Structure formats: structure tokens, C-alpha cells
Amino acid sequence: MLIVPEREIAALMTRDAAFDAVESVFAAMASKDAYNFPVIREAIGHEDALYGFKGGFDKAGMTLGLKAGGYWPNNLEKHGAINHQSTIFLFDPDTGMVRAIVGGNLLTALRTAAASSVSIKHLARKDAKVMGMVGAGHQATFQLRAALEQRQFEKVIGWNYHPEMLPNIEKIANEAGLPFEAVELEGMTEADAVISITSTFAPTIMAEHISAGTHIACMGTDTKGKQEVEAALLARSTVFTDEVAQSISIGEAQHAIAEGLIKESDVHQLGAVINGTHKGRTSDDEITLFDGTGVGLQDLAVAASVVDLAVKKGVAIEVDF
């Protein structure tokens, strides 16, 4: 069995590699060459933590496994550790034997950012100039770095529940040579592409905050009851997702469907756009919305890539099991 510890991940996985892995697995899902297992996600009744498992099997890439982990909201304050904690386990699909254990914290951040940037590549208008960020926490910095690589953006605007955190994303904008402006939520109407990365149980973004022609990637809703955007916005949009079953049960679509504003058939796989079996954006006035619920296959794809690189570079630890 191989172990690739968290400390090695930064030197092994690049944003480009994460993007390629996630784009490929979305395409495989839409082609039915890969599928996710049902998500288990529970409040454990200790430290206000949410803990769960995401897994799947990619027959095209011959990757089988799961990610175990969750959200410990007191970690940073109490232990100086990030709040999201995860570990990825890979198994040999031919034998069921464990193949590798991989640190999943940075990989989760990179694959989540890759998912939204894949959606921008395939759904945002080609002439998008203003990038909007709703949320300015740790994950938002990864999201913005990846997003800025997909279009020739000229400006970044941002909003956060805690405005004192906005310098986190201002720094990323400035590193890319772009001006940054803090705005009220009403100011998001200026954006051509928006990423929302918050952890809320009530909508932050209302339908009137998003202009015609905008692409919005909603990346924070991954649990029953969570909600980042008003359900009416999904009714105004062409909705895409990583996994339809998750979108309608634990993603943004859960609320719009419950209110009768859209049907399950109104939610499309982003992988179908990548494969060319869905036309994607059809006009410059269309609002496109990507509901990124986070699927186990994303984690497995980036972890498998990391294991291969770790073996080549001689940093994978081999142990008997």
C-alpha cells in the first residue's frame, strides 16, 4: 500500500493537472463510464462537526475509492488547523485491495476550484470581463486563482459576510494584475461570471443580483438544507451540475424543486457540454448556473494522478498492509 502524505501534495498537484482530471471525470460521468456512490454526510454531535463519505468508480480511468472527512468549524480557533479535513482511499478495482491513502485537504481545495473553472470554460461568455466573488474565505482564494485562468478578465469584484476578509481575494486579484473592488450584493450585477463559495442555510444571492448573460458557479451547497442562491434564480437560469442526483437532494436545486420552480429534467450534467451532447450556452443573454455539489469521483481522479506522480518522484511511502 502506498501513502502520499498531505505535506507532499503541494509539490505534486498543479491547478492545470486538477483541471484536466476534473474535466475528464465529468465527461466520463456524462458518458456513463463513471458513477458516484450515494453520499453519507452526518452531524456527529461533537464539535459541531459534519462528517461523511463520498466515493465512486470510474471504469474509464479504472479508479475506485472514497474520500472520508468533513467540516470541523472550530479547528482554526482551537487547533490552528483548517476546518475542512479529509483523506482519500484508493482501491484496486480488480481485487478490492487497498492501493493508496492520500492526504485530501489540498486536493479537495484544488478539485473544488477546478470544478468551477471547468464550468467557466464551458459556460461563461467568451467576452466575460468582470469576475465576481461572493465569499472570501480559504477556499475562495483557490476558486479565484483557477477562475482567472479561464477568461481575459479585467476586474474582480467581491462581497463577503465579514468584509474584513476581503483582502484574501483582493491579494489574488492583484497578483494577477487586476484591480479589485468591494461591492454590495447589488453590485454583483456588474459581473459577467460569479463564484459563490459560502456555507449558509439561507440564500445570500437573490435573482436580481445576477444580470442577463452571467454565468454563476454555486460551490458551497453540499448538504440538505444549505442554500446560497434564491430558488427563483434557478428558474431564470439554464442549470448545470456535476451530479444530478446530488443537485436535487443536497445541492442548490433541492430548493427550486421543492418550490415547484424547476423539475429534475431541468438540471443538466456539465459533462454533457464537455462531451458535446448538450449545447451549453445558446445566447449572450442566457444566465447559466453551475451547481457544484462536489462528487467523490473528483477526489478519486486528482488522488490517482497524485499517486502516479508520487511514485515517479519517489516520495510515495510504501508499507505492508
Side-chain angles (χ1 to χ4, degrees), residues 19 112-122 143 146-148 150 195 217:
F19 183 98
T112 305
S116 59
S117 64
V118 168
S119 80
I120 290 172
K121 173 186 174 181
H122 291 280
Q143 297 287 333
L148 293 178
Q150 299 309 314
I195 294 176

Side-chain angles (χ1 to χ4, degrees), residues 60-144:
M62 288 303 286
T63 306
L64 172 70
L66 62 89
K67 181 176 78 171
Y71 184 69
W72 271 255
N74 304 315
N75 268 8
L76 189 60
E77 181 181 348
K78 288 187 174 182
H79 307 291
I82 65 172
N83 294 339
H84 288 92
Q85 293 289 326
S86 59
T87 305
I88 301 166
F89 299 82
L90 298 175
F91 299 87
D92 184 337
D94 293 325
T95 66
M97 297 174 64
V98 63
R99 179 186 174 216
I101 299 176
V102 184
N105 292 344
L106 179 58
L107 285 181
T108 298
L110 289 169
R111 68 83 157 152
T112 305
S116 59
S117 64
V118 168
S119 80
I120 290 172
K121 173 186 174 181
H122 291 280
L123 295 172
R125 297 194 328 269
K126 299 301 182 185
D127 64 347
K129 299 299 182 185
V130 179
M131 181 72 222
M133 293 294 302
V134 176
H138 177 73
Q139 181 61 41
T141 62
F142 290 89
Q143 297 287 333
L144 183 55

